[in-house]
Structure formats: structure tokens, C-alpha cells
């Protein structure tokens, strides 16, 4: 499938003239989709793996996919046709990849599923802890039904968490509200939050009804105007900010227009998004 026909001639030139390639990967109930993006412009897209993709994570050239059968690692990288290699973890619900930012090992891949959290290295998977109900992995934090945990299983607060963001000021999305880590977990915004993402500077979080952006203060969150409906299920930060809704609409922020663009992908049951930038 392709969105090329929806791009103007000028937009085609901008995309065609790009020397590198940025790719967004969307995990959904029918597989993993690859979407060519250039800032807020969306190009061709299509499935590159078919199956039950539950989560996807990217960092420092790594791409990992949590599926109903195993954790898969992509080979080939951005700009080429990816191949997906099994790792032997087994069924996984969440996966995280190191950012390579000095605090987080770029080679680290951590997965969670069926009550186990483990790290992948050259010898295989090493169990870090036994923990049920893990919903998200980010950096050195886990979001679980029992709250926020370190990778070794240590509970670091909150009775339950839907998602967590570890870059910069840690954030946690919960049914009871959005929290940031200060002197303990502090209230950032009221509401039942489903997802949160941060790159240390930009931060976004979503409820079933709205996508919020953080301002200058930890408690300064405001809803953004989106051009499409649907529940935002995940957010990724790269050259711009990308988000995906549960009905498979890709959202991209256009800083020149200070507005969001939307592109329906036709992928039902979208669950997660990750972005790889190539030089």
C-alpha cells in the first residue's frame, strides 16, 4: 500500500531529495509496518513482517519487535529491506532498546513476557527478574500492573503503571494520573493516561481522549489539536514527533506549520511506534 498519490509534487521532491532515510515502524495486530517519513511528510508504507506484533523499540540502529511467538531483531537496518531473526526469548509483551546516550547501553535489548524480564547479549538471554504484568520497558524502568520497577524487579513506586519514560525526568502513565519523579512520584496531570514518551527534552502523554505535550515545567501539560480522531497509543521522538492511533493513523508534527498532519495507514489494532533515523 502507498500514500505516494496523496503527496504533492513539491513534497515528492523534498522526499526524493533526502540523502538519508528515516523510517517509522508500527506494531499492530496483523504485523509490523514500515513507513518512510521525512519530517512531517509521510511516504510509502507497507507490512514488512506478518503476525501478532505487540511492541516495537528502536535505538542506535537496533530494531526489536515483541511478538506472540518471540522477540525478533531486525537485520539490514533503515533504508534496506529488513529481515527479522528470532532470539529464543519466547512470547513477549514489551521490549526496550538502549538509547546509547551515555546513560543507556546502545547494545541493550530487554524484553518482558510470561512473568520474566530478561536482557539479550552475545550469549543469549539472561533473566533479570521475575515479574508479572509488565506493560512497557524504557531505559532502566518497567511499567507493570504492580507499579514502576527497576530492571532487577525493585519496586520504585506507584500501585500500577501503564507506561513509563526514563529519559531526562522520568515519567509514568497510570490510570490515576500522569506522574514525574521528583521527591518521590509527583502529580503532573490528572486523568487516566495510557502512554507516555520523552527524549529528555520533548515529552508527550495520552489519555483515551487527548494527546498532551509538556511545557516548561514538570506540571505544565496541555492538550494538542489533532487533525484526526482515534486513541493515541504510542509516541516516538525523532527529527519531529510521531504518534500512532489505535485505528492505524500516523500523526506527525510539522514544526514549520506548528500543526499536526495525519495519514491513515489502514492498520487496525495499532499498538506501538518506533523510529530509526539514518545518515
Amino acid at each position: 500500500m502507498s500514500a505516494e498519490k496523496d503527496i504533492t509534487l513539491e513534497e515528492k521532491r523534498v522526499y526524493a531529495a533526502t540523502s538519508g532515510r528515516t523510517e517509522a515502524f508500527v506494531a499492530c495486530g496483523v504485523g509490523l509496518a514500515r513507513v518512510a517519513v521525512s519530517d512531517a511528510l509521510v511516504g510509502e508504507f507497507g507490512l514488512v513482517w506478518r503476525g501478532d506484533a505487540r511492541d516495537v523499540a528502536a535505538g542506535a540502529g537496533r530494531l526489536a519487535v515483541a511478538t506472540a511467538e518471540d522477540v525478533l531483531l531486525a537485520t539490514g537496518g533503515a533504508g534496506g529491506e529488513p529481515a527479522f531473526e528470532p532470539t529464543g526469548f519466547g512470547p513477549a509483551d514489551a521490549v526496550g532498546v538502549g538509547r546509547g546516550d551515555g546513560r543507556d547501553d546502545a547494545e541493550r535489548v530487554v524484553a518482558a513476557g510470561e512473568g520474566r524480564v530478561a536482557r539479550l547479549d552475545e550469549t543469549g538471554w539472561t533473566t533479570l527478574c521475575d515479574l508479572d504484568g509488565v506493560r512497557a520497558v524504557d531505559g532502566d524502568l518497567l511499567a507493570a500492573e504492580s507499579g514502576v520497577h527497576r530492571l532487577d524487579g525493585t519496586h520504585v513506586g506507584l500501585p500500577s503503571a501503564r507506561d513509563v519514560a526514563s529519559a531526562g525526568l522520568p515519567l509514568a502513565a497510570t490510570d490515576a494520573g500522569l506522574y514525574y519523579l521528583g521527591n518521590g512520584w509527583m502529580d503532573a496531570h490528572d486523568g487516566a493516561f495510557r502512554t507516555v514518551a520523552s527524549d529528555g527534552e520533548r515529552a508527550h502523554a495520552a489519555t483515551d481522549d487527548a494527546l498532551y505535550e509538556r511545557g516548561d515545567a514538570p506540571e505544565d501539560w496541555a492538550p494538542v489539536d489533532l487533525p484526526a480522531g482515534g486513541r493515541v497509543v504510542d509516541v516516538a521522538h525523532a527529527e519531529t514527533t510521531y504518534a500512532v492511533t489505535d485505528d492505524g493513523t500516523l500523526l506527525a508534527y510539522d514544526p514549520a506549520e506548528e500543526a499536526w498532519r495525519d495519514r491513515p495507514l489502514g492498520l487496525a489494532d495499532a499498538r506501538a511506534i518506533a523510529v530509526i533515523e539514518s545518515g
Side-chain angles (χ1 to χ4, degrees):
M1 70 187 71
S2 171
E4 185 177 346
K5 63 182 181 180
D6 295 327
I7 302 176
T8 67
L9 182 59
E10 182 60 26
E11 288 174 332
K12 284 182 181 178
R13 284 199 194 97
V14 170
Y15 187 74
T18 304
S19 59
R21 183 170 181 171
T22 299
E23 294 177 336
F25 291 86
V26 176
C28 62
V30 297
L32 184 73
R34 180 176 62 175
V35 187
V37 293
S38 179
D39 291 317
L41 306 181
V42 180
E44 294 183 346
F45 54 89
L47 288 175
V48 291
W49 181 84
R50 294 180 182 273
D52 184 5
R54 297 172 173 176
D55 194 13
V56 62
R62 288 257 189 176
L63 178 70
V65 189
T67 80
E69 292 80 29
D70 200 359
V71 173
L72 308 179
L73 284 185
T75 59
E81 189 66 24
F84 294 91
E85 301 292 337
T87 62
F89 178 86
D93 299 310
V95 67
V97 175
R99 292 184 297 272
D101 59 2
R103 293 175 48 198
D104 198 2
D105 180 4
E107 298 300 311
R108 181 187 59 77
V109 176
V110 172
E114 299 191 325
R116 178 171 67 115
V117 178
R119 173 177 175 153
L120 180 65
D121 58 29
E122 62 275 4
T123 63
W125 290 98
T126 299
T127 297
L128 301 176
C129 70
D130 294 322
L131 184 64
D132 292 322
V134 175
R135 294 161 166 164
V137 180
D138 190 74
D140 61 350
L141 296 177
L142 306 168
E145 293 176 2
S146 53
V148 180
H149 297 256
R150 298 290 183 189
L151 295 183
D152 63 3
T154 302
H155 184 252
V156 292
L158 301 176
S160 181
R162 291 279 181 181
D163 198 6
V164 66
S166 65
L169 187 69
L171 300 164
T174 80
D175 290 339
L178 183 66
Y179 297 87
Y180 68 92
L181 187 59
N183 184 20
W185 290 100
M186 313 292 290
D187 293 334
H189 202 283
D190 294 335
F193 281 83
R194 303 304 187 192
T195 189
V196 63
S198 173
D199 64 358
E201 296 182 1
R202 297 168 292 180
H204 292 79
T207 64
D208 284 346
D209 303 316
L211 175 65
Y212 291 80
E213 181 178 25
R214 187 178 64 193
D216 295 331
E219 305 91 349
D220 181 15
W221 292 81
V224 302
D225 291 327
L226 297 178
R231 177 171 61 90
V232 172
V233 294
D234 201 12
V235 178
H237 297 105
E239 54 196 4
T240 188
T241 301
Y242 301 94
V244 66
T245 65
D246 58 348
D247 60 3
T249 296
L250 183 69
L251 302 166
Y253 181 70
D254 186 344
E257 298 293 332
E258 296 185 346
W260 288 79
R261 295 188 181 205
D262 66 299
R263 180 59 49 80
L265 302 179
L267 301 170
D269 194 22
R271 299 161 178 173
I273 185 172
V275 177
I276 289 183
E277 298 176 275
S278 64

